[in-house]
């Protein structure tokens, strides 16, 4: 997870949501010294998980800030569209739910290649997303 903000606050929010166990790595702007849209925050996260930018996908809810960071870092961007107002143009890759995101990541064709191109086997993606085959 990559997030702008104070480390202690962001980790508390993640723990309170019950999602903390799903993230092996959490990079906050406070912990690394860079904030989105600076692409260096994504480079810190990618280095921590050992994934090259071309094998990564960044999912964010702000096309301007998150999308700009992803583009500058050489990472594909997927917009989590929760119906909020956006500045500028809408990203081409867009999902409205985590189920849609899982389907997009596991798809073998379309705008994003299958899980294999992200540097991890499909079974690993399914396990991380807790989806059924």
């Amino acid at each position: 997870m990559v997030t702008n903000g104070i480390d202690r606050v962001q980790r508390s929010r993640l723990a309170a949501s019950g999602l903390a166990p799903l993230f092996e790595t959490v990079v906050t702007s406070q912990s690394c010294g860079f904030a989105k849209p600076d692409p260096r925050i994504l480079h810190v996260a990618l280095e921590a998980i050992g994934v090259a930018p071309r094998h990564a996908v960044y999912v964010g809810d702000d096309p301007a800030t998150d999308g700009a960071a992803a583009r500058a870092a050489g990472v594909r961007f997927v917009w989590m569209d929760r119906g909020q107002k956006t500045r500028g143009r809408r990203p081409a890759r867009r999902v409205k739910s985590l189920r849609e995101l899982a389907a997009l990541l596991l798809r073998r064709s379309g705008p994003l290649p299958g899980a294999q191109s992200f540097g991890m086997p499909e079974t690993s993606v399914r396990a991380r997303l807790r989806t059924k085959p």
Side-chain angles (χ1 to χ4, degrees):
M1 171 179 270
V2 174
T3 180
N4 285 347
I6 299 169
D7 193 66
R8 165 180 58 78
V9 171
Q10 299 298 60
R11 288 178 185 276
S12 281
R13 288 178 179 165
L14 189 58
S17 74
L19 297 174
L22 299 176
F23 295 93
E24 296 171 18
T25 301
V26 176
V27 176
T28 65
S29 55
Q30 181 187 33
S31 69
C32 75
F34 310 111
K36 297 173 290 179
D38 188 325
R40 292 178 290 182
I41 192 170
L42 294 182
H43 289 284
V44 168
L46 291 169
E47 185 175 323
I49 62 173
V51 174
R54 72 179 192 279
H55 293 297
V57 174
Y58 184 72
V59 180
D61 62 0
D62 184 341
T65 303
D66 296 327
R71 278 189 305 280
V75 174
R76 287 169 285 200
F77 177 67
V78 176
W79 175 35
M80 179 61 74
D81 180 1
R82 302 280 189 184
Q84 67 274 33
K85 299 264 185 203
T86 62
R87 304 179 306 266
R89 63 184 176 100
R90 293 173 160 257
R93 295 179 188 108
R94 174 179 136 204
V95 295
K96 292 187 176 191
S97 69
L98 292 176
R99 286 188 197 277
E100 262 186 70
L101 176 62
L104 180 65
L105 293 175
L106 294 172
R107 195 179 310 151
R108 294 239 177 246
S109 62
L112 292 177
Q116 313 271 326
S117 69
F118 300 131
M120 60 179 82
E122 183 174 337
T123 53
S124 175
V125 173
R126 285 189 191 282
R128 288 174 190 228
L129 295 174
R130 299 181 195 267
T131 62
K132 295 179 181 175

